[in-house]
Amino acid sequence: MDLVSKVINSYAAVVYTYKTIGIEKLASHYLGYNEIKELSKHFKGEMTLLQTCNRIELYLYSEDDNLSKVLDYLNQVHNREISSDATILRGKEAITHLFEVASGIDSLSVGEYEILKQIKDSMKEATKLGLASKHMRCLLERSLKVGRKVRLETGISKGKVGVYSLAVEYAKRLLGDISDKKIAIVGAGEIGTKLALILHNEGVKDVTIFNRTNERGRNVAIKYGYSFLPLDFSKLSNYDLVFSAIFYPEKVRAPERSVVIDLGSPSIFEGKNVYTLRDLEAVSQAKLEERRKEIDSAKGIIENGLREFENDCLDIIYDNFVSSFMSKVEQIRESEVTRALRVLETEDPKTKEVLDAMTRSMIKKIFSPMFENLRRAVESNEVNHINLAVSLFSYGGISEDKAKEVKAEQEHKGFSGRNEVNGR
């Protein structure tokens, strides 16, 4: 296995989504960051958690095959059996899935933008917790680039996208024109705020924002010319339509005369007139068919993204090799300078300065051409050259078969090592 394949195959994902286990079950699988922090103590590698209203996905990087241990500890830290529900993805399959998620083609609302921010926030949180290093950041950063490119080069995000857009569209299916309806929005978070914006653009005038935090709820209400009230479920009975997007520890009986669209996970309202994320899947499926051509175009961009990610992996391999190699060379250089000073029987700072400058200059002149050639090999995606260099300088030699493989590749390109040395 070449070095790039080894890096690719070290990625994995533990996936739960609205597609794989359903919206209702998803709520009981949500992981706290304290659980992830505890899990990381038993995992040798890097990880990040991507968690939204319709997915829980744990991305992993480890050169040790310890995924089974992760699943065992996942049950322990969560205090319930959830690993049996997981979809396990490895290597290229895990990477492709993340790129599809970032592109919006795996979302409940096809083409939604919010997932890009959620991936970015997940990366920041994992880095802050010390869970993500260069391999995980490399994967997440490439997924963001792929996601942005899909939206720039296809029409997948054209028009109204996002769970809040699906919710408003579903409300219009149920009630017809909603511009003259009396509407309540429970929650002034990201979804509640965007619902207020869409309703404002739809020309809806009679909207009240209910929120536990007075300042936040009032700010959203003022921005769109709406009313604000502190959260009080008993006051919802006067509204034709109620949108809810909050977490609440108890179930709440829905007002009987209202249509309630609950976007929470888990949903908090109960009643025959309550519609949840599960009901929005029908609208989502219709959108999926509308955007089928754009999804096919997005998959082409994802394929290119996978090839670009292989180059990203080569960059990591190159950087690791140069850093490790030069660290060893520097140790030898320092040791030899110290030995030379003992032989010269001097501790003169000026002499040490001269020796340091001279030895560093020699090392730079000796190794710079090698690193320049290796850098060109990385840029040209010449994997065999990189494998050769890493094998030769990291492990003390290469096998005869490996040498023949590299020689055959060179001869296929029309030149040999002798010609290169002679400058022909």
Side-chain angles (χ1 to χ4, degrees):
M1 181 188 297
D2 65 55
L3 293 169
V4 174
S5 296
K6 184 178 179 182
V7 172
I8 295 289
N9 290 332
S10 295
Y11 287 96
V14 181
V15 173
Y16 309 92
T17 75
Y18 73 99
K19 290 180 179 179
T20 61
I21 65 170
I23 290 291
E24 297 91 344
K25 200 171 184 180
L26 195 64
S28 64
H29 288 51
Y30 281 112
L31 297 166
Y33 273 100
N34 59 324
E35 293 174 308
I36 295 301
K37 190 70 176 176
E38 182 64 27
L39 182 63
S40 70
K41 296 176 183 177
H42 308 285
F43 176 70
K44 186 179 179 182
E46 305 174 38
M47 66 171 66
T48 191
L49 175 66
L50 176 61
Q51 195 159 253
T52 74
C53 64
N54 53 52
R55 72 183 61 253
I56 303 163
E57 300 186 346
L58 187 62
Y59 289 92
L60 308 165
Y61 179 87
S62 176
E63 293 177 4
D64 297 331
D65 188 11
N66 56 3
L67 188 56
S68 59
K69 292 181 181 178
V70 170
L71 295 174
D72 289 340
Y73 282 116
L74 190 59
N75 293 331
Q76 291 180 33
V77 300
H78 199 57
N79 293 319
R80 61 178 294 156
E81 168 63 49
I82 60 173
S83 64
S84 59
D85 293 331
T87 298
I88 308 299
L89 305 175
R90 294 175 180 268
K92 186 179 178 181
E93 193 177 20
I95 296 161
T96 300
H97 176 72
L98 178 58
F99 289 1
E100 289 178 347
V101 170
S103 299
I105 66 176
D106 192 67
S107 297
L108 181 62
S109 180
V110 178
E112 52 128 340
Y113 279 98
E114 285 67 34
I115 191 65
L116 292 176
K117 180 179 182 299
Q118 290 160 343
I119 291 172
K120 193 172 182 180
D121 289 345
S122 296
M123 180 168 65
K124 286 181 180 177
E125 188 66 26
T127 302
K128 185 173 74 175
L129 291 172
L131 306 179
S133 190
K134 54 193 170 188
H135 292 97
M136 191 57 64
R137 287 199 302 270
C138 179
L139 174 63
L140 297 174
E141 285 167 0
R142 177 54 63 184
S143 75
L144 291 171
K145 290 175 184 176
V146 169
R148 293 186 191 111
K149 191 170 184 179
V150 165
R151 287 165 178 80
L152 282 171
E153 297 184 9
T154 75
I156 200 166
S157 297
K158 189 177 180 180
K160 296 176 181 178
V161 294
V163 172
Y164 38 86
S165 298
L166 288 180
V168 172
E169 191 167 327
Y170 194 77
K172 290 162 76 174
R173 284 189 179 191
L174 296 171
L175 298 172
D177 183 14
I178 61 172
S179 61
D180 61 346
K181 303 299 181 185
K182 188 174 183 180
I183 300 176
I185 299 175
V186 180
E190 183 178 354
I191 292 177
T193 301
K194 287 179 177 176
L195 282 167
L197 169 62
I198 291 175
L199 294 175
H200 179 266
N201 292 340
E202 291 275 344
V204 181
K205 304 295 184 185
D206 193 352
V207 177
T208 302
I209 311 293
F210 288 83
N211 199 58
R212 281 171 287 196
T213 306
N214 288 359
E215 183 180 359
R216 187 166 188 174
R218 189 174 286 109
N219 288 344
V220 174
I222 291 171
K223 184 175 182 178
Y224 298 108
Y226 293 151
S227 303
F228 165 75
L229 286 173
L231 182 60
D232 184 345
F233 294 115
S234 67
K235 293 183 178 179
L236 296 175
S237 57
N238 297 323
Y239 293 87
D240 302 307
L241 175 60
V242 176
F243 291 104
S244 175
I246 65 169
F247 171 79
Y248 197 71
E250 302 171 12
K251 290 292 184 181
V252 178
R253 189 70 190 170
E256 290 184 4
R257 64 176 295 271
S258 306
V259 168
V260 178
I261 298 180
D262 191 337
L263 303 177
S265 184
S267 56
I268 65 167
F269 283 97
E270 293 181 316
K272 291 184 291 185
N273 53 336
V274 176
Y275 303 89
T276 67
L277 288 168
R278 183 179 181 181
D279 298 294
L280 300 188
E281 287 188 52
V283 183
S284 173
Q285 192 62 36
K287 292 285 185 185
L288 185 68
E289 294 306 318
E290 286 177 18
R291 300 178 190 269
R292 181 64 62 190
K293 184 178 178 182
E294 305 303 331
I295 290 171
D296 291 341
S297 298
K299 287 185 176 179
I301 294 170
I302 288 168
E303 279 298 318
N304 288 333
L306 288 167
R307 287 189 286 272
E308 290 167 347
F309 183 65
E310 289 179 355
N311 290 334
D312 296 337
C313 293
L314 279 174
D315 286 335
I316 290 177
I317 292 166
Y318 171 83
D319 291 341
N320 287 347
F321 168 68
V322 172
S323 176
S324 175
F325 183 80
M326 291 310 296
S327 176
K328 292 174 183 176
V329 170
E330 178 61 16
Q331 289 175 13
I332 294 168
R333 188 200 66 80
E334 288 180 352
S335 175
E336 290 304 301
V337 167
T338 301
R339 190 171 70 86
L341 290 170
R342 284 201 303 268
V343 170
L344 294 171
E345 297 181 347
T346 180
E347 295 182 2
D348 176 36
K350 187 67 177 176
T351 303
K352 185 177 186 302
E353 183 181 336
V354 170
L355 286 172
D356 278 334
M358 180 186 69
T359 51
R360 287 195 177 106
S361 176
M362 290 175 64
I363 287 169
K364 183 177 180 180
K365 289 177 180 177
I366 291 168
F367 291 112
S368 286
M370 182 185 80
F371 291 139
E372 286 171 9
N373 288 333
L374 188 59
R375 181 77 258 176
R376 282 195 291 271
V378 169
E379 291 168 356
S380 303
N381 198 17
E382 295 177 7
V383 177
N384 279 340
H385 283 69
I386 299 158
N387 290 337
L388 172 64
V390 175
S391 298
L392 183 60
F393 289 99
S394 298
Y395 305 107
I398 59 170
S399 68
E400 185 177 343
D401 288 344
K402 189 59 160 178
K404 287 179 180 178
E405 181 184 341
V406 175
K407 182 180 179 182
E409 182 186 346
Q410 295 286 51
E411 290 174 346
H412 178 71
K413 291 181 177 179
F415 61 91
S416 67
R418 184 182 293 112
N419 288 340
E420 191 171 17
V421 169
N422 293 337
R424 294 201 298 271

